[in-house]
Short mmCIF file of all heavy atoms in Angstrom, two decimals:
data_model
loop_
_atom_site.label_atom_id
_atom_site.label_comp_id
_atom_site.label_asym_id
_atom_site.label_seq_id
_atom_site.Cartn_x
_atom_site.Cartn_y
_atom_site.Cartn_z
N GLN A 1 3.20 -5.45 -2.84
CA GLN A 1 1.83 -5.35 -3.49
C GLN A 1 1.99 -5.42 -4.94
O GLN A 1 2.37 -4.45 -5.66
CB GLN A 1 1.10 -4.06 -3.07
CG GLN A 1 -0.37 -4.01 -3.60
CD GLN A 1 -1.06 -2.81 -3.08
OE1 GLN A 1 -0.66 -2.08 -2.19
NE2 GLN A 1 -2.30 -2.57 -3.66
N PRO A 2 1.69 -6.59 -5.48
CA PRO A 2 1.89 -6.85 -6.97
C PRO A 2 0.69 -6.57 -7.80
O PRO A 2 0.79 -6.50 -9.04
CB PRO A 2 2.22 -8.35 -7.00
CG PRO A 2 1.48 -9.00 -5.91
CD PRO A 2 1.38 -7.90 -4.78
N PHE A 3 -0.53 -6.28 -7.11
CA PHE A 3 -1.70 -6.06 -7.87
C PHE A 3 -2.55 -4.98 -7.19
O PHE A 3 -2.45 -4.85 -5.99
CB PHE A 3 -2.56 -7.34 -8.03
CG PHE A 3 -1.88 -8.44 -8.76
CD1 PHE A 3 -1.29 -9.47 -8.05
CD2 PHE A 3 -1.77 -8.49 -10.21
CE1 PHE A 3 -0.62 -10.57 -8.62
CE2 PHE A 3 -1.18 -9.56 -10.83
CZ PHE A 3 -0.57 -10.54 -9.98
N GLY A 4 -3.33 -4.25 -8.04
CA GLY A 4 -4.27 -3.24 -7.44
C GLY A 4 -3.56 -2.09 -6.72
O GLY A 4 -4.17 -1.51 -5.82
N VAL A 5 -2.45 -1.63 -7.29
CA VAL A 5 -1.75 -0.48 -6.79
C VAL A 5 -2.41 0.82 -7.16
O VAL A 5 -2.74 0.88 -8.39
CB VAL A 5 -0.26 -0.52 -7.17
CG1 VAL A 5 0.49 0.75 -6.64
CG2 VAL A 5 0.42 -1.77 -6.77
N THR A 6 -2.64 1.70 -6.29
CA THR A 6 -3.20 2.98 -6.58
C THR A 6 -2.15 4.06 -6.40
O THR A 6 -1.70 4.26 -5.30
CB THR A 6 -4.41 3.28 -5.68
OG1 THR A 6 -5.42 2.31 -5.89
CG2 THR A 6 -5.06 4.62 -6.08
N GLY A 7 -1.79 4.74 -7.45
CA GLY A 7 -0.73 5.75 -7.37
C GLY A 7 0.61 5.03 -7.06
O GLY A 7 0.91 4.07 -7.75
N ASP A 8 1.43 5.60 -6.12
CA ASP A 8 2.70 5.00 -5.77
C ASP A 8 2.71 4.69 -4.33
O ASP A 8 3.88 4.60 -3.75
CB ASP A 8 3.89 5.91 -6.18
CG ASP A 8 3.72 7.23 -5.49
OD1 ASP A 8 2.75 7.52 -4.84
OD2 ASP A 8 4.69 8.13 -5.68
N GLN A 9 1.59 4.37 -3.69
CA GLN A 9 1.54 4.06 -2.26
C GLN A 9 0.98 2.68 -2.07
O GLN A 9 0.10 2.26 -2.85
CB GLN A 9 0.72 5.11 -1.55
CG GLN A 9 1.16 6.50 -1.61
CD GLN A 9 2.51 6.71 -0.95
OE1 GLN A 9 2.75 6.17 0.12
NE2 GLN A 9 3.34 7.60 -1.56
N PHE A 10 1.38 1.99 -1.00
CA PHE A 10 0.88 0.67 -0.63
C PHE A 10 -0.54 0.90 -0.17
O PHE A 10 -0.97 1.79 0.43
CB PHE A 10 1.67 0.07 0.41
CG PHE A 10 3.08 -0.46 0.04
CD1 PHE A 10 4.26 0.22 0.38
CD2 PHE A 10 3.21 -1.57 -0.67
CE1 PHE A 10 5.39 -0.18 0.03
CE2 PHE A 10 4.41 -2.14 -1.08
CZ PHE A 10 5.55 -1.44 -0.67
N GLY A 11 -1.31 -0.23 -0.44
CA GLY A 11 -2.64 -0.30 0.03
C GLY A 11 -2.56 -0.70 1.59
O GLY A 11 -1.49 -0.98 2.08
N ALA A 12 -3.67 -0.79 2.27
CA ALA A 12 -3.67 -1.23 3.67
C ALA A 12 -3.04 -2.62 3.74
O ALA A 12 -3.17 -3.46 2.83
CB ALA A 12 -5.21 -1.32 4.10
N ALA A 13 -2.32 -2.81 4.80
CA ALA A 13 -1.41 -3.96 4.98
C ALA A 13 -2.21 -5.14 5.63
O ALA A 13 -2.96 -4.93 6.56
CB ALA A 13 -0.19 -3.68 5.71
N GLU A 14 -2.00 -6.33 5.11
CA GLU A 14 -2.44 -7.56 5.72
C GLU A 14 -1.13 -8.21 6.30
O GLU A 14 -0.26 -8.60 5.55
CB GLU A 14 -3.10 -8.48 4.69
CG GLU A 14 -4.29 -7.96 4.14
CD GLU A 14 -5.02 -8.85 3.12
OE1 GLU A 14 -4.29 -9.65 2.53
OE2 GLU A 14 -6.19 -8.79 2.87
N GLU A 15 -1.03 -8.32 7.62
CA GLU A 15 0.13 -8.72 8.28
C GLU A 15 0.28 -10.26 8.42
O GLU A 15 -0.67 -10.97 8.44
CB GLU A 15 0.24 -8.14 9.63
CG GLU A 15 0.32 -6.55 9.57
CD GLU A 15 0.85 -6.03 10.94
OE1 GLU A 15 1.68 -6.65 11.60
OE2 GLU A 15 0.43 -4.88 11.28
N CYS A 16 1.52 -10.70 8.36
CA CYS A 16 1.81 -12.20 8.44
C CYS A 16 1.54 -12.71 9.86
O CYS A 16 1.50 -11.93 10.82
CB CYS A 16 3.21 -12.49 7.94
SG CYS A 16 4.51 -11.79 9.04
N GLN A 17 1.51 -13.93 9.95
CA GLN A 17 1.24 -14.65 11.26
C GLN A 17 2.45 -14.35 12.23
O GLN A 17 2.17 -14.21 13.44
CB GLN A 17 1.14 -16.12 11.06
CG GLN A 17 0.74 -16.90 12.28
CD GLN A 17 -0.63 -16.48 12.82
OE1 GLN A 17 -1.59 -16.40 11.99
NE2 GLN A 17 -0.72 -16.27 14.04
N LEU A 18 3.66 -14.25 11.76
CA LEU A 18 4.81 -13.96 12.67
C LEU A 18 4.59 -12.60 13.30
O LEU A 18 4.90 -12.43 14.48
CB LEU A 18 6.12 -13.94 11.85
CG LEU A 18 6.61 -15.27 11.37
CD1 LEU A 18 7.79 -15.13 10.38
CD2 LEU A 18 6.92 -16.20 12.54
N ASP A 19 4.13 -11.60 12.57
CA ASP A 19 3.90 -10.23 13.18
C ASP A 19 2.81 -10.37 14.19
O ASP A 19 2.80 -9.68 15.29
CB ASP A 19 3.53 -9.26 12.09
CG ASP A 19 4.77 -8.87 11.26
OD1 ASP A 19 5.85 -9.24 11.64
OD2 ASP A 19 4.58 -8.10 10.32
N GLU A 20 1.76 -11.07 13.90
CA GLU A 20 0.55 -11.14 14.86
C GLU A 20 1.01 -11.86 16.05
O GLU A 20 0.57 -11.44 17.21
CB GLU A 20 -0.59 -11.94 14.22
CG GLU A 20 -1.17 -11.20 13.01
CD GLU A 20 -2.34 -11.96 12.23
OE1 GLU A 20 -2.53 -13.13 12.69
OE2 GLU A 20 -2.92 -11.44 11.33
N ASP A 21 1.73 -12.87 16.03
CA ASP A 21 2.30 -13.62 17.21
C ASP A 21 3.14 -12.73 17.98
O ASP A 21 3.15 -12.71 19.26
CB ASP A 21 3.08 -14.92 16.81
CG ASP A 21 2.21 -15.98 16.24
OD1 ASP A 21 0.95 -15.87 16.46
OD2 ASP A 21 2.69 -16.90 15.60
N ASP A 22 3.96 -11.78 17.41
CA ASP A 22 4.86 -11.00 18.07
C ASP A 22 4.01 -9.90 18.83
O ASP A 22 4.38 -9.47 19.97
CB ASP A 22 5.78 -10.26 17.09
CG ASP A 22 6.92 -9.49 17.76
OD1 ASP A 22 7.63 -10.11 18.60
OD2 ASP A 22 7.04 -8.33 17.50
N MET A 23 2.93 -9.45 18.27
CA MET A 23 2.05 -8.42 18.98
C MET A 23 1.29 -9.18 20.08
O MET A 23 0.75 -8.41 21.03
CB MET A 23 1.13 -7.89 18.04
CG MET A 23 1.81 -6.99 16.90
SD MET A 23 0.69 -6.33 15.67
CE MET A 23 -0.36 -5.45 16.67
N LEU A 24 1.14 -10.42 20.07
CA LEU A 24 0.26 -11.17 21.04
C LEU A 24 0.83 -11.14 22.37
O LEU A 24 0.23 -11.03 23.42
CB LEU A 24 0.00 -12.60 20.59
CG LEU A 24 -0.90 -13.48 21.38
CD1 LEU A 24 -2.37 -12.86 21.33
CD2 LEU A 24 -0.93 -14.85 20.82
N ILE A 25 2.19 -11.24 22.53
CA ILE A 25 2.88 -11.26 23.79
C ILE A 25 2.55 -10.11 24.72
O ILE A 25 2.08 -10.33 25.80
CB ILE A 25 4.41 -11.37 23.55
CG1 ILE A 25 4.72 -12.73 22.90
CG2 ILE A 25 5.13 -11.22 24.92
CD1 ILE A 25 4.34 -13.99 23.75
N PRO A 26 2.77 -8.75 24.26
CA PRO A 26 2.46 -7.68 25.16
C PRO A 26 1.01 -7.58 25.58
O PRO A 26 0.66 -7.14 26.64
CB PRO A 26 2.88 -6.45 24.36
CG PRO A 26 3.04 -6.91 22.93
CD PRO A 26 3.36 -8.33 23.00
N ILE A 27 0.05 -8.09 24.60
CA ILE A 27 -1.37 -8.08 24.96
C ILE A 27 -1.63 -9.07 26.06
O ILE A 27 -2.31 -8.69 27.06
CB ILE A 27 -2.12 -8.37 23.70
CG1 ILE A 27 -2.00 -7.32 22.66
CG2 ILE A 27 -3.62 -8.57 24.05
CD1 ILE A 27 -2.67 -7.63 21.34
N ILE A 28 -1.13 -10.28 25.97
CA ILE A 28 -1.27 -11.26 27.04
C ILE A 28 -0.69 -10.84 28.40
O ILE A 28 -1.38 -10.91 29.41
CB ILE A 28 -0.65 -12.55 26.62
CG1 ILE A 28 -1.42 -13.16 25.44
CG2 ILE A 28 -0.72 -13.64 27.73
CD1 ILE A 28 -0.95 -14.44 24.84
N VAL A 29 0.52 -10.31 28.32
CA VAL A 29 1.18 -9.89 29.61
C VAL A 29 0.39 -8.64 30.19
O VAL A 29 0.21 -8.68 31.41
CB VAL A 29 2.67 -9.39 29.28
CG1 VAL A 29 3.26 -8.86 30.53
CG2 VAL A 29 3.50 -10.59 28.84
N GLY A 30 0.00 -7.71 29.33
CA GLY A 30 -0.71 -6.60 29.91
C GLY A 30 -2.04 -6.90 30.50
O GLY A 30 -2.45 -6.50 31.60
N ALA A 31 -2.71 -7.93 29.83
CA ALA A 31 -4.02 -8.32 30.27
C ALA A 31 -3.87 -9.13 31.63
O ALA A 31 -4.67 -8.96 32.63
CB ALA A 31 -4.76 -9.28 29.39
N ALA A 32 -2.83 -9.96 31.71
CA ALA A 32 -2.52 -10.71 32.96
C ALA A 32 -2.15 -9.80 34.12
O ALA A 32 -2.70 -10.08 35.23
CB ALA A 32 -1.32 -11.70 32.66
N LEU A 33 -1.33 -8.78 33.90
CA LEU A 33 -1.06 -7.88 34.90
C LEU A 33 -2.24 -7.06 35.40
O LEU A 33 -2.43 -6.82 36.58
CB LEU A 33 0.09 -6.88 34.47
CG LEU A 33 1.39 -7.64 34.24
CD1 LEU A 33 2.45 -6.53 33.65
CD2 LEU A 33 1.98 -8.15 35.55
N ALA A 34 -3.06 -6.65 34.46
CA ALA A 34 -4.31 -5.85 34.76
C ALA A 34 -5.22 -6.75 35.63
O ALA A 34 -5.78 -6.30 36.64
CB ALA A 34 -5.02 -5.35 33.54
N GLY A 35 -5.31 -8.00 35.21
CA GLY A 35 -6.16 -8.93 36.03
C GLY A 35 -5.65 -9.16 37.46
O GLY A 35 -6.40 -9.16 38.37
N LEU A 36 -4.24 -9.23 37.63
CA LEU A 36 -3.68 -9.35 38.87
C LEU A 36 -3.92 -8.22 39.68
O LEU A 36 -4.33 -8.34 40.95
CB LEU A 36 -2.18 -9.56 38.65
CG LEU A 36 -1.32 -9.63 39.99
CD1 LEU A 36 -1.75 -10.79 40.83
CD2 LEU A 36 0.12 -9.69 39.68
N VAL A 37 -3.79 -6.98 39.28
CA VAL A 37 -4.07 -5.77 40.03
C VAL A 37 -5.51 -5.75 40.46
O VAL A 37 -5.82 -5.44 41.63
CB VAL A 37 -3.68 -4.55 39.22
CG1 VAL A 37 -4.18 -3.29 40.00
CG2 VAL A 37 -2.20 -4.46 38.93
N LEU A 38 -6.39 -6.13 39.64
CA LEU A 38 -7.79 -6.07 39.96
C LEU A 38 -8.21 -7.12 41.02
O LEU A 38 -8.92 -6.71 42.04
CB LEU A 38 -8.66 -6.41 38.71
CG LEU A 38 -10.23 -6.35 38.85
CD1 LEU A 38 -10.69 -4.99 39.29
CD2 LEU A 38 -10.95 -6.79 37.54
N ILE A 39 -7.64 -8.28 40.94
CA ILE A 39 -7.93 -9.36 41.96
C ILE A 39 -7.34 -8.96 43.26
O ILE A 39 -7.96 -9.15 44.32
CB ILE A 39 -7.42 -10.67 41.47
CG1 ILE A 39 -8.22 -11.13 40.24
CG2 ILE A 39 -7.50 -11.73 42.59
CD1 ILE A 39 -7.66 -12.35 39.57
#
């Protein structure tokens, strides 16, 4: 965080696309398994 620092703590994080893609996998798998159980 190079601008707008308050105190000595990071502000809320904006995550990169790589992190978002990494989180997408368990969400898709979980949703698919839940749908399978329901059907």
Side-chain angles (χ1 to χ4, degrees):
Q1 185 173 348
F3 300 99
V5 178
T6 302
D8 59 355
Q9 301 293 324
F10 286 107
E14 297 178 335
E15 298 199 32
C16 66
Q17 187 64 46
L18 289 174
D19 286 354
E20 293 178 357
D21 289 343
D22 191 53
M23 294 175 62
L24 186 63
I25 294 298
I27 294 175
I28 293 177
V29 173
L33 292 177
L36 173 63
V37 171
L38 181 61
I39 294 174

